[in-house]
Amino acid sequence: TAGITQAPTSQILAAGRSMTLRCTQDMRHNAMYWYRQDLGLGLRLIHYSNTAGTTGKGEVPDGYSVSRANTDDFPLTLASAVPSQTSVYFCASSDSMGSTDTQYFGPGTRLTVL
Amino acid sequence: GQNIDQPTEMTATEGAIVQINCTYQTSGFNGLFWYQQHAGEAPTFLSYNVLDGLEEKGRFSSFLSRSKGYSYLLLKELQMKDSASYLCAPMDSNYQLIWGAGTKLIIKP
């Protein structure tokens, strides 16, 4: 199985432009997550979704929005990109939230905002 | 506050044993995960400990002491492919993972 796919693999974006990072999973997991990973820091949670139709804010949600229209897809949108959003973005999923279920990660999107 | 402390970088020799330590402070505790992350790739699950003691899984073992807020990952018979970052992530009372910055392990022949 593919597990989790993310697109694009990498992107260079001009500051002020908008962009949507795509994430799709085929494991029928209820919970999905968006993290950013920056050098010297641990993964930081941006937004999460408990189940289709519900989303919540993580540790660093400002400047980002998400939607969860169905079980499989969890896109992350940057409405007006800023250079501090340059990072590697990982989507993850787990069977459920509020449990010790293992999180599985997509391959990541490397985003550079100039 | 919540805090994770693990060494930034370690070097070891192929065929040897290495222990990667992690100390943590979290609001509540629901177990601790270790992930492996090769450069430019996604983190992949290695182990989960919720009870004190050592869990062995092939060449990798993970230890937990809840009273000390301490865990370690033990890698035996090191191979060049073990060169990667190792991420320690305890789970707090809200079942949120608190991620350390990771330990970059360099294996030399």
Side-chain angles (χ1 to χ4, degrees):
Chain A
T1 60
I4 301 181
T5 58
Q6 292 184 236
T9 302
S10 65
Q11 182 76 43
I12 298 174
L13 188 67
R17 300 296 293 267
S18 67
M19 174 163 189
T20 295
L21 280 60
R22 299 185 299 280
C23 174
T24 300
Q25 53 104 358
D26 65 2
M27 296 178 281
R28 307 303 294 172
H29 282 168
N30 288 305
M32 296 186 76
Y33 314 83
W34 274 105
Y35 290 94
R36 60 178 289 173
Q37 187 174 42
D38 301 291
L39 199 62
L41 298 178
L43 289 160
R44 291 184 290 170
L45 184 65
I46 303 171
H47 284 285
Y48 62 87
S49 170
N50 203 349
T51 188
T54 68
T55 63
K57 294 181 179 181
E59 179 187 356
V60 289
D62 294 344
Y64 306 94
S65 64
V66 291
S67 61
R68 187 90 183 276
N70 57 59
T71 297
D72 299 344
D73 301 300
F74 190 43
L76 176 75
T77 298
L78 288 68
S80 179
V82 294
S84 61
Q85 291 178 311
T86 293
S87 188
V88 181
Y89 292 86
F90 287 103
C91 179
S93 72
S94 65
D95 199 23
S96 64
M97 276 195 79
S99 72
T100 58
D101 292 337
T102 300
Q103 292 186 19
Y104 297 93
F105 286 79
T109 294
R110 184 174 297 273
L111 179 66
T112 303
V113 182
L114 301 175
Chain B
Q2 309 204 93
N3 185 60
I4 315 302
D5 191 26
Q6 51 181 133
T8 303
E9 188 174 296
M10 298 181 70
T11 302
T13 304
E14 191 177 14
I17 300 173
V18 71
Q19 178 175 313
I20 302 173
N21 296 323
C22 172
T23 58
Y24 63 88
Q25 290 178 308
T26 56
S27 301
F29 183 73
N30 277 300
L32 186 144
F33 289 80
W34 282 95
Y35 279 76
Q36 180 190 59
Q37 186 177 24
H38 286 100
E41 297 183 8
T44 55
F45 169 74
L46 283 178
S47 67
Y48 170 69
N49 293 64
V50 67
L51 299 176
D52 289 352
L54 186 69
E55 296 255 355
E56 297 186 68
K57 193 185 293 186
R59 293 189 299 114
F60 291 12
S61 303
S62 54
F63 172 85
L64 176 67
S65 169
R66 289 172 296 173
S67 63
K68 295 181 179 178
Y70 169 68
S71 175
Y72 68 72
L73 185 67
L74 190 72
L75 290 72
K76 303 176 186 176
E77 301 168 16
L78 286 169
Q79 302 175 10
M80 298 303 292
K81 68 179 181 179
D82 297 331
S83 292
S85 288
Y86 292 86
L87 313 181
C88 170
M91 184 172 266
D92 70 12
S93 59
N94 293 320
Y95 295 94
Q96 291 228 355
L97 288 173
I98 311 301
W99 295 88
T103 297
K104 182 179 180 180
L105 178 63
I106 299 167
I107 309 298
K108 295 187 174 180

